[in-house]
Amino acid sequence: MTSRGAGTAFSRKNYRLSTEPEKSKVTGIVNSRLLNDYLHRVFTSADGNQPAAAYRKHLTFQNLQEHLDRLLAEENGSEESRDQEAEGRLGPSTVVLDHTSGFEGLLLVDDDLLEVIGHSNFGSIRATTCVYKGKWIYEVLISSQGLMQIGWCTLNCRFNQEEGVGDTPDSYAYDGNRVRKWNVTTTNYGKSWAAGDIVSCLIDLDEGTIAFCLNGISLGTAFDNITRGAGMAYFPAISLSFKESVAFNFGSRPLRYPVEGYRPLQDPPVADLVKARKLLGYLKNVIHVGIDVTEGKLVEKDTSMWQLQGEPTVLITLAHIFNYFSPLMCKVYLVEDVLMTFLLSILERGGAVEAHPLIQQLLDLMWLLMEEYEVHECLKQLLMSLLRAYRFSPIIPDLGLQIHYLRLTIAVLKHEKSRKYLLSNVLFDVLRSVVFFYIKSPLRVEEAGLQELIPTTWWPNRFTKEQGKESKDVKEESAEERLRRRAYERGCQRLKKRIEVVEGLQVQILKLLLNNKDRGGGEASRYIFLNKFRKFLQENASNRGNLTVLCPPEYMVCFLHRLIAALRFFWDGHKAKTPAALSSEEAYVPPQLFYNGKVDYFDLQRLGGLLSHLKKTLKDDLAAKANVLIDPAELQAVTMDDLDEDEESATSAAQSQRPSAALAIGGALARPGWLSSPTLGRANRFLSTAAVSLMNPRRPLGSLEKIKVRTLSVEQRTEEDIEGSHGNEGLLLGRPPEEPDQPITENSLLEVLDGIVMMYNLSVHQQLGKMVGVSDDVNEYAMALKDTEEKISRCPKRRRDIHEELLKSQKVFSEKLNHLSRRLAWINVTIYSKEKMQDIYWLLRVCIRTIEHGDRTGSLFAFMPEFYLSVAMNSYSALKNYFSPVNSMEELPGYEETLMRLAAILAKHFADSRIVGTDIRDSLMQALASYVCYPHSLRAVERISEEQRISMMKNLLAPYEQRPWAQTNWILVRLWRGCGFGYRYTRLPHLLKTKPEDASLPSLQKPCPSTLLQRHMADLLRSDRDLAPSFLNSVLNQLNWAFSEFIGMIQEIQQAAERLERNFVDSRQLKVCATCFDLSVSLLRVLEMTVTLAPEIFLDWNRPSSELLLRRLAQLLNQVLNRVTAERNLFDRVVSLRLPGLDSVDHYPILVAVTGILVRLLVDTDVQGVKE
């Protein structure tokens, strides 16, 4: 009974009044005595006592409505007096934020006028209602934990961009960010708040006090003796800084933490509440009581298995209840207080969600007996209430509250009709449903119960300065330390098991949303989800400045992991049914998705530049390789001037012209009008609205029906457009010949996978890097604690004052470490666990395979969005740098092979002419430079094919003038470090000489030279007669420039230092100066490398360029030595100033490099016996 049209459907007008013949028919279902007993049992009076049978009024369906009216009116008389306007309050009865006159600064206020986001330096806003007598309360739901001042103010308070609530005489505020209270002056008060907390603001105008509570726990009285009297009335108010957001509850919803004696500013709908609770009671009675017609008596039923089996008596009874109940269920207060509480109570009995079919039955009833607009509003309010409850529940050790709300969400989404309505209209539109996939991290570990869960704390005690990571030396670990570590790890495991329960429920929600078998009554859920998900990605990709639609990165991280789990579940499920398809371990995104216009990439940059440019330049390649033809009329319309035109007018004009302007393709295919449609993004105008036609040589071209190619905007796509059907490949339209002709998986899953990669690029990587901060804090505090303990052991006994101070410091550091190590356990489980690491590793491999497949398509590779290369580089960086102390990347399956394949991608594409974006080219170059820094990844570069290695070295040796050469130079230097003259140091030797005790000196990467790549370089320089002179001339030119710039800058620095007024030297100038010096040294090292590997370039007089190169080299070395070695010269004086920022500038690095070149020249001259 899922729809209004199924079974015995009653519309509202059918069951209010019945005609006489109908009445007798209905009453005849059961005998009138039994019906009378049944109706009296269901509709009991308010006191619950049923009058004796003799005194009871005989009930039938004819007089039931009148009986119900009387029952519902019983207590309303007394309620009405309570509903009178409360004394002590002024203003509208519905309390909202005053967005017309009661604000200062720029703020974004939500449609319901209860949520606000700061959009200026320090904006303030107050409510529409004030109080002057009595005790009052309101709640604030903290959505972000930044700088805010929440409290009360009077009408006379004047705020500005610097002063807000609490900064003026008659305003009072609590600030949980800085843990202070404010009333002109400020003092410490309360606890720190976190996103997801609820602050209750209480004012007692009889006693003259203001107090605050955090998650229902009182923080004590904040202010007493507040100003009262004539003309003094207090408004709820808030001041908040840029990007901070909160939601208010003045009483429009039940208070989460009511306080006895305090009234909410907005009165609850008492009369409606009483009515709704009574009706819910009657509904429960219907579920509890069954009619045994054969025995002629009433029986108690097991409620959990209750089903509406088309019993007319029960159905008509329910219709009467819903007649009154439905309008009440459109009100948010009643949905939260009555309906949600009832549904949660059904699930409280435990067991799997499937074990409670009653919720499905109730949802069937709602769709059957309520008007459509009522069901829609009720479901929307129910889901929003669930979301608020989930998001603002405190963390308790077993995460019981979160689990409770997620279970009910699953139960509601299991109902197909409800799920599709919520997906289409609520989940991604009204609320950011990704909140359901987020597990918030507790800032106050004590309240979250982590002390009980992880009673023993532990942190690594040994540190290597190298990359700031711990080196766990097992041999040196004491027995006590080992016990502590193991106890801590056991605690972390307990925590992990609890969090995994929540994560499992979240994945279950996504599995429901990705269901593609529920085609009853329209499109399957997966295709609705796909379109909403794409729109969600577009908002986050395009509106990087629009705060109202941006999804916080911490939500994105959790959403990404749950989505990967759900995707792989369906992917492998498809593989089980279709053995020819790929498993999720071999997943990739086929290259045709990037150019056939079926998937919207908004205005994201492609590897080859703008899409409009690619469509023009590569149209012949598209036709030849992918059988995709572009309408020439479309191309003419797409000029660079179109970019800023009004989208709507452009698309509508294009649509009106197209049928007539369409050219015949190949003389046979006139372009039909249905190929064009308005599309989402600007970039999509270039590609998705282009007429794309498939001419497949394997299948003869017949009538137009055979080529079902439609390019539609995200909202207009159907299942057929995505999955394809007979003769239509859907998303996989236009397969290039290089792409294997085998099924990968369901097309819809490919689009989800593409969206996951985009999500990682949008904000997940940045968030993974941010959360490493907690681990860094642990390291810093652990070092400080160790340092303090050493000082305590060295402290002389007579200095008790110092000893006491050190003990205090030790206590502070220990407490902080206990707190941080428990918080770190939480973060390691939710963000950096082994399973999460495997997800990111899987994503890296997906990107590598996608890039490899795209690369094979030749020129069409230019269509690939840049973010695929970015994600490949960033996910590797995350695995290496963010996960490593907890989990080692080396343990991942196929790690060596993956490393090598990524190395091949970097080596090939850093100088790929198909890639035009300077940012992505720089990123590739930096990634390669980082790769050759570490022995492990350098060996991976050495394992790629010889052809690729030689090609990479050739690209590195290209002349420097035409490209960003500094990065290339660093790569060559890193391949050489460890082989040069005096070039094996990991700390700059001159700094160790001047500051040997300073352990925080910057450390350099350990040298790991590559003799194999050096050999390739030597071979290239020897064999290619043109390459060597052009490369070396460019290096000498850059050295000349860099060293001259450096000398010019130190002259300016010296002059500034000699002035009497001691002018401050700009730190940026110092930084540029140090960079020029470092560049000069690295260029000298590249020259040393060349002289060592291929001395004949300079010394073989048979080469036409040798003498010239040697002469240039000698002149430059002479210039360097003159400037650096003369006594008490400019260089000396600047070095002796020891300016911060010029630490690396010293005689040693540059002289050693010059010496290395000279020594090699002398040695090789002797060896070859060459005389001038």
Side-chain angles (χ1 to χ4, degrees):
M1 201 165 295
T2 53
S3 70
R4 234 172 239 283
T8 323
F10 287 80
S11 73
R12 184 72 52 80
K13 51 187 175 293
N14 284 17
Y15 53 73
R16 279 195 184 149
L17 294 166
S18 321
T19 57
E20 284 307 314
E22 277 178 332
K23 285 181 190 172
S24 56
K25 209 187 300 174
V26 166
T27 321
I29 296 163
V30 293
N31 66 54
S32 61
R33 182 186 60 77
L34 192 55
L35 177 65
N36 177 46
D37 288 349
Y38 176 71
L39 293 177
H40 272 292
R41 174 79 74 88
V42 170
F43 299 102
T44 52
S45 60
D47 55 11
N49 298 327
Q50 293 189 13
Y55 298 103
R56 273 195 323 222
K57 182 181 176 184
H58 189 77
L59 277 183
T60 63
F61 285 133
Q62 287 93 320
N63 59 12
L64 178 57
Q65 190 167 347
E66 182 192 328
H67 178 68
L68 244 175
D69 285 337
R70 195 168 58 251
L71 282 177
L72 292 175
E74 263 176 19
E75 283 189 21
N76 271 9
S78 58
E79 297 302 338
E80 275 164 22
S81 58
R82 236 190 287 172
D83 234 13
Q84 298 293 309
E85 177 61 42
E87 200 188 350
R89 180 177 59 195
L90 293 171
S93 56
T94 302
V95 187
V96 291
L97 294 171
D98 188 351
H99 68 296
T100 52
S101 58
F103 68 92
E104 169 62 46
L106 200 57
L107 299 143
L108 302 172
V109 180
D110 208 41
D111 294 343
D112 61 2
L113 301 182
L114 292 173
E115 292 180 42
V116 63
I117 302 177
H119 208 61
S120 57
N121 188 32
F122 201 50
S124 305
I125 192 165
R126 63 169 186 260
T128 51
T129 298
C130 61
V131 291
Y132 59 88
K133 182 176 164 185
K135 297 177 172 184
W136 302 91
I137 181 175
Y138 73 92
E139 288 181 343
V140 182
L141 287 64
I142 307 289
S143 303
S144 64
Q145 62 199 45
L147 183 61
M148 296 182 272
Q149 291 171 202
I150 300 171
W152 305 84
C153 74
T154 63
L155 198 58
N156 300 327
C157 294
R158 292 286 171 266
F159 304 129
N160 57 41
Q161 292 288 301
E162 302 300 323
E163 293 185 334
V165 182
D167 298 326
T168 59
D170 289 324
S171 64
Y172 305 87
Y174 159 51
D175 167 5
N177 177 264
R178 293 174 288 191
V179 197
R180 305 183 80 76
K181 59 181 181 180
W182 297 80
N183 173 232
V184 184
T185 59
T186 176
T187 48
N188 290 340
Y189 171 80
K191 295 178 181 175
S192 64
W193 62 38
D197 285 341
I198 295 181
V199 174
S200 309
C201 305
L202 297 83
I203 190 166
D204 181 345
L205 288 157
D206 302 333
E207 297 292 326
T209 60
I210 288 175
F212 298 92
C213 302
L214 189 63
N215 294 331
I217 298 163
S218 174
L219 302 175
T221 301
F223 306 100
D224 45 24
N225 295 326
I226 62 170
T227 316
R228 288 170 291 166
M232 292 304 288
Y234 287 90
F235 291 84
I238 184 172
S239 298
L240 65 179
S241 54
F242 185 62
K243 283 191 179 181
E244 303 305 335
S245 60
V246 296
F248 284 85
N249 180 11
F250 298 113
S252 59
R253 300 186 300 275
L255 292 180
R256 191 66 182 273
Y257 302 106
V259 177
E260 201 176 336
Y262 286 80
R263 292 188 61 167
L265 261 80
Q266 182 174 326
D267 289 323
V270 182
D272 282 348
L273 260 177
V274 171
K275 211 185 269 188
R277 284 178 184 150
K278 277 187 189 174
L279 289 161
L280 182 66
Y282 305 150
L283 180 61
K284 286 179 185 171
N285 291 345
V286 171
I287 295 166
H288 279 283
V289 179
I291 306 170
D292 186 340
V293 183
T294 49
E295 294 282 322
K297 62 177 184 180
L298 304 179
V299 290
E300 288 289 326
K301 290 179 82 172
D302 173 17
T303 56
S304 61
M305 289 306 174
W306 183 82
Q307 278 187 311
L308 178 65
Q309 290 155 334
E311 299 171 22
T313 311
V314 177
L315 195 58
I316 294 168
T317 310
L318 285 167
H320 276 86
I321 295 172
F322 270 91
N323 190 28
Y324 294 90
F325 195 53
S326 302
L328 296 176
M329 284 302 104
C330 296
K331 299 179 180 175
V332 56
Y333 196 103
L334 303 176
V335 169
E336 200 163 310
D337 193 74
V338 179
L339 182 64
M340 189 167 98
T341 313
F342 170 54
L343 295 175
L344 285 168
S345 68
I346 296 174
L347 289 174
E348 257 167 11
R349 297 161 200 158
V353 176
E354 290 78 10
H356 302 285
L358 179 57
I359 292 178
Q360 305 298 305
Q361 294 290 324
L362 290 169
L363 287 166
D364 277 346
L365 270 183
M366 285 164 68
W367 282 99
L368 179 67
L369 298 173
M370 289 168 78
E371 297 291 350
E372 202 157 273
Y373 72 89
E374 291 170 341
V375 188
H376 289 174
E377 187 58 26
C378 177
L379 282 172
K380 174 182 154 186
Q381 295 300 350
L382 174 62
L383 215 76
M384 290 180 75
S385 299
L386 271 172
L387 185 87
R388 260 192 305 270
Y390 174 77
R391 189 176 172 196
F392 293 100
S393 290
I395 299 278
I396 55 174
D398 64 351
L399 295 161
L401 297 168
Q402 281 76 7
I403 290 169
H404 204 37
Y405 298 123
L406 284 175
R407 278 162 54 83
L408 180 52
T409 308
I410 290 170
V412 172
L413 290 174
K414 270 187 178 301
H415 189 262
E416 185 181 318
K417 202 169 179 184
S418 305
R419 173 171 71 245
K420 288 184 181 174
Y421 164 71
L422 290 168
L423 244 181
S424 302
N425 302 288
V426 180
L427 277 177
F428 282 95
D429 298 288
V430 182
L431 40 99
R432 296 205 289 266
S433 74
V434 294
V435 177
F436 275 126
F437 310 111
Y438 175 52
I439 302 177
K440 64 183 179 188
S441 160
L443 269 187
R444 299 174 302 277
V445 295
E446 304 78 28
E447 286 162 34
L450 291 184
Q451 281 172 327
E452 293 79 54
L453 212 54
I454 308 172
T456 311
T457 57
W458 170 85
W459 49 88
N461 268 331
R462 295 195 161 63
F463 304 93
T464 54
K465 277 273 144 294
E466 202 82 353
Q467 306 147 30
K469 288 177 190 149
E470 314 79 82
S471 63
K472 286 186 257 187
D473 196 339
V474 184
K475 280 178 277 187
E476 291 185 43
E477 192 177 46
S478 67
E480 184 197 348
E481 230 173 80
R482 194 179 308 114
L483 286 172
R484 275 184 62 194
R485 178 168 59 80
R486 285 178 181 166
Y488 176 72
E489 283 167 358
R490 282 196 299 276
C492 293
Q493 279 305 315
R494 285 194 292 273
L495 176 65
K496 188 176 180 181
K497 283 193 179 113
R498 293 179 180 191
I499 285 176
E500 277 171 352
V501 174
V502 177
E503 290 177 352
L505 290 170
Q506 292 171 331
V507 173
Q508 231 174 307
I509 292 178
L510 273 171
K511 284 179 184 173
L512 289 169
L513 301 185
L514 285 171
N515 182 347
N516 64 338
K517 300 288 181 278
D518 55 347
R519 293 192 181 85
E523 213 175 2
S525 301
R526 181 183 296 176
Y527 305 102
I528 308 173
F529 172 82
L530 259 187
N531 295 339
K532 294 292 175 187
F533 179 48
R534 208 77 202 165
K535 203 145 187 273
F536 165 79
L537 290 172
Q538 186 191 14
E539 286 171 348
N540 282 280
S542 314
N543 295 320
R544 292 211 158 173
N546 187 350
L547 306 173
T548 46
V549 295
L550 274 186
C551 176
E554 57 272 25
Y555 294 8
M556 280 280 211
V557 176
C558 295
F559 186 32
L560 177 101
H561 288 297
R562 309 303 171 265
L563 198 51
I564 287 176
L567 171 75
R568 294 190 69 175
F569 168 80
F570 283 108
W571 194 299
D572 290 330
H574 180 73
K575 162 79 177 164
K577 283 182 259 169
T578 322
L582 297 180
S583 75
S584 65
E585 274 302 327
E586 306 161 294
Y588 71 95
V589 180
Q592 55 266 48
L593 256 74
F594 308 135
Y595 57 72
N596 67 14
K598 293 289 179 185
V599 176
D600 190 350
Y601 288 103
F602 336 125
D603 47 4
L604 294 175
Q605 189 77 359
R606 307 299 180 105
L607 292 177
L610 267 178
L611 207 47
S612 54
H613 166 72
L614 291 175
K615 293 296 291 179
K616 284 179 185 173
T617 52
L618 297 178
K619 65 177 188 292
D620 296 340
D621 295 27
L622 276 174
K625 288 189 174 187
N627 304 311
V628 171
L629 290 180
I630 300 159
D631 179 2
E634 187 77 34
L635 283 179
Q636 286 163 14
V638 179
T639 62
M640 289 308 287
D641 304 333
D642 280 357
L643 282 178
D644 299 314
E645 279 178 15
D646 179 35
E647 298 291 314
E648 285 177 37
S649 61
T651 40
S652 59
Q655 270 182 297
S656 60
Q657 293 163 9
R658 252 171 222 148
S660 57
L663 299 179
I665 298 174
L669 285 172
R671 179 166 185 254
W674 52 257
L675 275 175
S676 335
S677 71
T679 58
L680 259 183
R682 166 176 87 181
N684 239 35
R685 272 213 356 252
F686 303 145
L687 182 57
S688 294
T689 57
V692 178
S693 299
L694 183 69
M695 291 171 53
N696 199 323
R698 289 186 295 275
R699 199 169 58 241
L701 275 174
S703 61
L704 266 175
E705 282 67 46
K706 280 194 180 175
I707 314 158
K708 285 262 183 173
V709 183
R710 282 190 286 177
T711 349
L712 299 166
S713 73
V714 165
E715 288 91 340
Q716 292 172 302
R717 294 185 311 171
T718 62
E719 179 179 340
E720 192 182 305
D721 295 314
I722 295 168
E723 299 292 7
S725 59
H726 321 290
N728 165 19
E729 294 177 74
L731 290 185
L732 296 181
L733 177 82
R735 186 171 60 78
E738 297 84 0
E739 191 59 17
D741 186 10
Q742 78 167 105
I744 303 171
T745 185
E746 295 165 290
N747 291 357
S748 47
L749 296 180
L750 291 172
E751 189 174 328
V752 176
L753 177 57
D754 176 75
I756 289 173
V757 178
M758 196 191 292
M759 259 169 73
Y760 185 88
N761 185 58
L762 286 176
S763 58
V764 172
H765 181 72
Q766 160 202 353
Q767 182 66 13
L768 288 177
K770 193 173 158 190
M771 296 312 288
V772 174
V774 179
S775 172
D776 294 342
D777 288 349
V778 169
N779 288 349
E780 280 177 29
Y781 276 104
M783 283 177 72
L785 179 64
K786 197 177 172 196
D787 191 37
T788 309
E789 285 169 349
E790 282 172 8
K791 284 178 183 169
I792 289 173
S793 65
R794 294 200 309 266
C795 181
K797 288 183 181 171
R798 62 179 186 281
R799 295 306 306 267
R800 291 187 59 183
D801 53 338
I802 294 177
H803 195 258
E804 279 172 18
E805 286 301 317
L806 285 169
L807 286 174
K808 277 183 197 168
S809 300
Q810 185 190 21
K811 188 179 173 211
V812 168
F813 291 143
S814 294
E815 283 173 2
K816 190 74 182 170
L817 272 167
N818 283 333
H819 168 90
L820 280 173
S821 67
R822 290 187 176 106
R823 190 154 173 250
L824 185 63
W826 183 282
I827 288 167
N828 282 342
V829 169
T830 52
I831 299 176
Y832 299 120
S833 69
K834 193 166 186 182
E835 292 72 19
K836 310 289 183 295
M837 186 180 195
Q838 284 162 346
D839 282 350
I840 304 296
Y841 181 59
W842 177 77
L843 204 57
L844 165 64
R845 292 172 66 142
V846 165
C847 288
I848 288 174
R849 278 189 289 269
T850 303
I851 294 164
E852 287 170 349
H853 279 265
D855 181 31
R856 286 177 210 142
T857 61
S859 57
L860 299 184
F861 180 56
F863 281 101
M864 182 180 284
E866 280 185 355
F867 65 78
Y868 273 88
L869 276 170
S870 301
V871 172
M873 295 181 283
N874 287 338
S875 54
Y876 168 70
S877 158
L879 290 166
K880 186 162 123 302
N881 300 319
Y882 304 156
F883 288 84
S884 48
V886 191
N887 299 294
S888 168
M889 193 179 168
E890 280 84 5
E891 293 164 13
L892 293 165
Y895 163 69
E896 296 286 345
E897 187 218 0
T898 304
L899 214 56
M900 190 190 82
R901 286 167 74 181
L902 182 58
I905 286 170
L906 295 176
K908 177 165 186 181
H909 298 302
F910 83 92
D912 191 336
S913 59
R914 295 170 295 181
I915 300 174
V916 298
T918 48
D919 289 348
I920 192 73
R921 288 177 77 104
D922 279 355
S923 300
L924 284 162
M925 191 79 86
Q926 283 166 14
L928 185 60
S930 160
Y931 230 68
V932 297
C933 248
Y934 300 94
H936 215 96
S937 44
L938 178 62
R939 299 299 160 251
V941 176
E942 291 178 345
R943 285 200 308 277
I944 65 179
S945 72
E946 186 172 355
E947 185 190 347
Q948 283 178 312
R949 289 197 305 267
I950 293 171
S951 165
M952 175 183 90
M953 292 310 296
K954 194 165 185 175
N955 286 323
L956 287 172
L957 296 176
Y960 280 8
E961 276 80 8
Q962 307 304 318
R963 59 209 178 86
W965 52 270
Q967 283 291 351
T968 314
N969 202 66
W970 284 124
I971 295 173
L972 292 173
V973 169
R974 281 164 178 169
L975 296 176
W976 179 241
R977 274 197 67 213
C979 293
F981 183 80
Y983 204 29
R984 291 175 181 78
Y985 50 80
T986 53
R987 298 266 175 84
L988 291 169
H990 64 278
L991 288 185
L992 287 175
K993 182 178 68 188
T994 53
K995 312 180 191 171
E997 76 294 339
D998 191 350
S1000 62
L1001 290 178
S1003 65
L1004 304 168
Q1005 192 57 41
K1006 273 185 183 167
C1008 55
S1010 167
T1011 47
L1012 177 66
L1013 296 175
Q1014 286 174 21
R1015 197 163 63 243
H1016 289 321
M1017 177 175 167
D1019 293 345
L1020 281 165
L1021 289 170
R1022 285 195 193 102
S1023 60
D1024 192 331
R1025 293 246 160 182
D1026 297 331
L1027 177 69
S1030 64
F1031 168 66
L1032 284 167
N1033 275 315
S1034 68
V1035 173
L1036 291 164
N1037 290 342
Q1038 300 304 344
L1039 175 59
N1040 188 22
W1041 169 83
F1043 192 69
S1044 305
E1045 283 291 309
F1046 167 68
I1047 294 298
M1049 284 188 167
I1050 61 172
Q1051 281 173 342
E1052 287 176 26
I1053 291 167
Q1054 170 68 10
Q1055 285 162 8
E1058 282 178 349
R1059 287 194 198 113
L1060 290 173
E1061 59 269 28
R1062 298 289 288 173
N1063 280 4
F1064 177 71
V1065 184
D1066 184 10
S1067 60
R1068 278 175 305 178
Q1069 193 180 1
L1070 293 174
K1071 198 172 177 185
V1072 173
C1073 179
T1075 305
C1076 283
F1077 180 77
D1078 292 342
L1079 281 173
S1080 303
V1081 173
S1082 68
L1083 286 159
L1084 284 165
R1085 286 296 184 183
V1086 170
L1087 288 169
E1088 181 195 15
M1089 180 183 187
T1090 316
V1091 170
T1092 311
L1093 295 174
E1096 57 269 38
I1097 295 169
F1098 291 98
L1099 303 174
D1100 181 357
W1101 295 146
N1102 296 325
R1103 287 173 170 258
S1105 55
S1106 291
E1107 190 176 353
L1108 183 65
L1109 285 172
L1110 188 59
R1111 185 170 289 156
R1112 283 199 70 190
L1113 178 65
Q1115 283 172 345
L1116 270 170
L1117 295 183
N1118 205 4
Q1119 183 189 340
V1120 171
L1121 290 170
N1122 280 339
R1123 291 289 191 176
V1124 175
T1125 56
E1127 269 190 66
R1128 302 233 296 275
N1129 66 356
L1130 175 68
F1131 187 83
D1132 253 5
R1133 290 201 294 274
V1134 169
V1135 168
S1136 60
L1137 287 173
R1138 292 279 164 227
L1139 293 171
L1142 290 186
D1143 286 343
S1144 61
V1145 177
D1146 192 81
H1147 298 79
Y1148 181 84
I1150 198 158
L1151 287 179
V1152 174
V1154 173
T1155 311
I1157 297 172
L1158 294 172
V1159 168
R1160 280 319 309 175
L1161 284 172
L1162 291 170
V1163 170
D1164 288 316
T1165 308
D1166 272 0
V1167 170
Q1168 295 187 18
V1170 176
K1171 291 176 185 167
E1172 280 198 31

